[in-house]
């Protein structure tokens, strides 16, 4: 049993703490946010993540997991310290490293013996060296080691991703630290999880390169979807045809409203910023976020086309979270849609299974409904923004009877166009020909594969 503390109890810190305690380690999860820690001490989770509550309860009951704001004591009594604080984007696209450096300062101030400092936050290449230099001002080189252990979990599937990762990346510049962190992940050896053992800078780069590649796939398929629309091709068939090529693969090839969340947009701009600092030209990387912004605007334009104008319309918006199975609304495409609707003078009636509280804090004046049918009541159109499972099996005839006008903008291609037409909807989706009740079946609708067979992405 190793004594480990985790600095930062957000999505990554809480999942890391809970999972490492489940591996049998003694974990203290730390935060500077006292309210957050109080809630955790009372058994209340500050975030929604499937399976997390059960894991936290089990390990706190067994005495392996605790929560604290007593950072000095926790640092002194831990042999390994994980940094899992936020690294948000600054307005110019650069990475705000202030939380990481503050955490490093705290470690430097309170550590009294050898520590392994593991950075799990997503940080620019070179951060390990900078954190080492900061701590090295007050401590001898042999008193600490810096490790980079980037996290690849997806919100909504975070526990499974941590317990059954595609790979674990550990970057260290000392054998002692490398061996210790490999040992922390030893339970994953049972599953033969590949371990990528490398130096600190390479590990830092792997994280940025991976997220940027995933975001690039989404922006790429969104551009393909828009070309498909111009030529009456069906992007669902195109993506399937592409994805069966093993060099491409099917995942993250879903067109939609653009990516959001706390990682992709800021990591793409962060990598561009890192490249510019090194005088490296990266036009491909720069284009990823630009395409994403255009895609979010395109959804707003599609809704304008569907309704004629957004002004004085009532719009039912289903889904607020940036992806299903999370309450996280950071950079969610739904928020851009809400902004456009409110600016145009539209009324928004919305429903999301878990993200309404977070949204209400930002937009107190929307109508928050108890279910999708209440949200659709009397609306001029329904816009589907997040592909929650709950929306896949919605009672569409009932939705139609609730709506004032049978118009749907499906930003996630959740429904089958032909079926929507048969149900009497005017139906717009992404990268597929629009369908209206009076349309006669044309060549463009002859091959429409059934609903997407792949799990959600990001
Ligand atoms: P978050 O914003 O949800 O949580 C960060 C927490 O750190 C907050 O509770 C904050 O109060 C706390 N904190 C800040 N300074 C602190 C300090 N000095 N000591 C203790 N606690 C402190 O962040 P997150 O979404 O968990 O992301 C954390 C990092 O992991 C980021 O770098 C992010 O890019 C990366 N990451 C996130 C995800 C994800 O899906 N959210 C996935 C992989 C990697």
């Amino acid at each position: 049993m190793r004594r480990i503390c985790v600095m930062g109890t957000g999505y990554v810190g809480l999942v890391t703490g809970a999972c490492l305690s489940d591996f049998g380690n003694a974990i203290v999860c730390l935060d500077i946010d006292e309210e957050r820690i109080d809630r955790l001490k009372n058994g209340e989770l500050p975030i929604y993540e499937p399976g997390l509550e059960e894991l936290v309860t089990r390990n706190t009951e067994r005495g392996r997991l605790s929560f604290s704001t007593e950072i000095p004591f926790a640092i002194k009594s831990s042999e390994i310290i994980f940094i899992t604080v936020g690294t948000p984007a600054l307005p110019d696209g650069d990475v705000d490293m202030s939380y990481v450096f503050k955490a490093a300062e705290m470690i430097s101030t309170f550590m009294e013996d050898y520590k392994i400092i593991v950075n799990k936050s997503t940080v620019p290449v070179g951060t390990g060296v900078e954190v080492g230099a900061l701590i090295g001002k007050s401590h001898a080189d042999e008193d600490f080691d810096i490790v980079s252990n980037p996290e690849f979990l997806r919100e909504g599937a975070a526990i499974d991703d941590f317990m059954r990762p595609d790979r674990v990346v550990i970057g260290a510049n000392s054998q002692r630290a490398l061996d210790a962190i490999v040992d922390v992940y030893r339970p994953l050896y049972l599953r033969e999880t590949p371990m990528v053992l490398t130096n600190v800078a390479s590990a830092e780069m792997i994280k940025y390169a991976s997220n940027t590649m995933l975001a690039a796939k989404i922006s790429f398929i969104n551009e393909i979807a828009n070309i498909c629309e111009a030529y009456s091709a069906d992007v669902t068939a195109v993506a399937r045809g592409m994805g069966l090529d093993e060099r491409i693969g099917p995942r993250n090839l879903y067109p939609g409203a653009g990516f959001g969340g706390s990682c992709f947009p800021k990591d793409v701009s962060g990598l561009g910023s890192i490249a510019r600092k090194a005088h490296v030209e990266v036009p491909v990387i720069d284009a990823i976020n630009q395409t994403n912004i255009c895609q979010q605007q395109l959804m707003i334009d599609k809704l304008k086309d569907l309704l004629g104008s957004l002004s004085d319309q009532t719009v039912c918006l289903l889904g607020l979270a940036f992806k299903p199975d999370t309450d996280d609304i950071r950079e969610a495409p739904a928020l851009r849609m809400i902004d456009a609707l409110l600016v145009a003078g539209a009324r928004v009636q919305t429903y999301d299974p878990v993200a309404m509280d977070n949204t209400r804090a930002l937009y107190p004046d929307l109508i928050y409904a108890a279910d999708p049918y209440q949200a659709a009541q009397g609306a001029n159109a329904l816009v589907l923004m997040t592909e929650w499972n709950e929306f896949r099996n919605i009672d569409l005839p009932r939705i139609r009877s609730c709506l004032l006008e049978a118009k749907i903008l499906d930003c996630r291609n959740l429904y089958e166009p032909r079926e929507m037409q048969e149900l009497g909807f005017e139906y717009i989706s992404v990268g597929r020909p629009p369908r209206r009740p009076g349309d006669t079946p044309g060549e463009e609708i002859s091959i429409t594969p059934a609903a997407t067979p792949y799990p959600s992405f990001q």
Side-chain angles (χ1 to χ4, degrees):
M1 185 190 262
R2 289 184 179 269
R3 283 168 294 108
I4 298 173
C5 73
V6 180
M7 296 185 79
T9 56
Y11 288 86
V12 170
L14 261 184
V15 170
T16 300
C19 291
L20 291 183
S21 66
D22 214 52
F23 290 172
N25 298 292
I27 307 287
V28 185
C29 283
L30 299 168
D31 210 292
I32 47 173
D33 182 341
E34 290 191 9
E35 190 197 326
R36 182 168 275 250
I37 293 295
D38 282 345
R39 286 173 70 184
L40 283 161
K41 281 181 176 168
N42 291 328
E44 197 190 323
L45 287 199
I47 56 168
Y48 173 81
E49 182 59 47
L52 184 59
E53 191 166 359
E54 186 196 332
L55 205 62
V56 166
T57 306
R58 181 166 73 230
N59 286 290
T60 43
E61 279 172 6
R62 293 191 184 160
R64 293 193 294 238
L65 178 63
S66 61
F67 303 97
S68 174
T69 50
E70 289 174 34
I71 293 178
F73 178 74
I75 288 173
K76 280 177 196 155
S77 50
S78 300
E79 46 173 323
I80 300 172
I81 302 164
F82 279 84
I83 299 178
T84 57
V85 300
T87 48
L90 290 166
D92 65 358
D94 204 353
V95 187
D96 180 353
M97 291 296 294
S98 57
Y99 301 99
V100 171
F101 290 131
K102 184 75 200 157
E105 268 171 34
M106 287 172 161
I107 295 168
S108 181
T109 305
F110 300 117
M111 63 182 259
E112 290 175 345
D113 52 11
Y114 175 76
K115 304 290 177 202
I116 299 174
I117 299 146
V118 186
N119 195 3
K120 215 176 218 328
S121 297
T122 302
V123 292
V125 188
T127 299
V129 173
E130 287 187 61
V131 168
L134 193 155
I135 295 175
K137 281 184 197 165
S138 324
H139 300 274
D141 284 354
E142 57 275 17
D143 284 344
F144 68 95
D145 277 309
I146 306 286
V147 172
S148 169
N149 171 222
E151 183 50 58
F152 299 95
L153 63 78
R154 294 162 302 164
E155 288 176 24
I159 305 295
D160 208 45
D161 284 349
F162 197 99
M163 297 292 202
R164 278 173 273 274
D166 290 343
R167 78 302 206 186
V168 171
V169 174
I170 304 172
N173 296 334
S174 103
Q175 194 62 44
R176 178 182 182 182
L178 190 70
D179 290 347
I181 303 307
V182 165
D183 191 52
V184 166
Y185 284 101
R186 194 160 298 282
L188 299 183
Y189 274 67
L190 290 172
R191 300 185 189 282
E192 298 185 356
T193 302
M195 298 269 166
V196 180
L197 307 182
T198 181
N199 62 26
V200 173
S202 305
E204 291 168 342
M205 191 64 191
I206 287 168
K207 175 62 190 177
Y208 268 100
S210 301
N211 266 11
T212 302
M213 183 70 212
L214 293 170
K217 274 185 104 175
I218 297 172
S219 276
F220 182 83
I221 198 66
N222 280 336
E223 290 189 358
I224 296 296
N226 300 339
I227 304 171
C228 285
E229 282 185 20
Y231 289 95
S232 295
D234 184 331
V235 73
T236 314
V238 173
R240 185 162 153 73
M242 289 168 61
L244 288 169
D245 184 328
E246 284 183 8
R247 293 168 301 173
I248 299 172
R251 294 172 74 181
N252 274 37
L253 269 192
Y254 298 103
F259 54 77
S262 67
C263 292
F264 284 0
K266 69 131 173 121
D267 290 348
V268 171
S269 63
L271 186 56
S273 181
I274 296 166
R276 265 180 292 285
K277 281 181 191 163
H279 308 290
V280 178
E281 299 280 332
V282 286
V284 171
I285 291 171
D286 288 339
I288 297 167
N289 273 347
Q290 285 164 18
T291 293
N292 196 50
I293 291 165
C294 292
Q295 192 69 11
Q296 296 187 3
Q297 181 59 43
L298 189 67
M299 298 304 115
I300 296 162
D301 293 343
K302 277 174 179 260
L303 184 60
K304 275 187 202 154
D305 286 348
L306 185 65
L307 286 170
S309 151
L310 298 183
S311 120
D312 208 28
Q313 305 275 349
T314 300
V315 173
C316 162
L317 207 111
L318 294 189
L320 296 161
F322 83 94
K323 57 178 285 192
D325 292 320
T326 181
D327 61 349
D328 196 344
I329 56 166
R330 291 179 283 186
E331 303 284 330
L335 305 191
R336 299 290 74 77
M337 180 64 82
I338 292 171
D339 289 339
L341 288 168
L342 295 182
V343 165
R347 288 170 295 279
V348 181
Q349 304 181 163
T350 186
Y351 170 76
D352 184 286
V354 299
M356 290 201 286
D357 285 347
N358 285 343
T359 312
R360 198 181 277 113
L362 295 179
Y363 299 94
D365 297 329
L366 309 186
I367 294 171
Y368 292 91
D371 58 42
Y373 310 101
Q374 198 182 70
Q377 200 61 48
N380 299 92
L382 181 153
V383 182
L384 189 127
M385 294 300 303
T386 316
E387 67 277 31
W388 283 93
N389 270 340
E390 182 176 336
F391 300 150
R392 289 178 197 272
N393 298 318
I394 209 162
D395 181 344
L396 289 164
R398 188 173 162 201
I399 284 287
R400 186 170 182 269
S401 67
C402 294
L403 288 168
L404 196 63
E405 296 179 69
K407 295 180 175 181
I408 294 192
L409 168 60
D410 177 357
C411 299
R412 299 293 176 182
N413 288 358
L414 213 58
Y415 305 119
E416 166 61 36
R418 193 184 312 218
E419 190 190 333
M420 298 306 279
Q421 182 185 24
E422 284 164 8
L423 287 168
F425 288 105
E426 184 172 351
Y427 178 75
I428 311 290
S429 54
V430 185
R432 306 185 297 181
R435 302 300 299 263
R436 294 175 195 85
D439 287 350
T440 46
E443 191 195 352
E444 80 277 2
I445 57 151
S446 58
I447 312 163
T448 306
T452 170
Y454 307 119
S456 92
F457 49 81
Q458 287 191 32

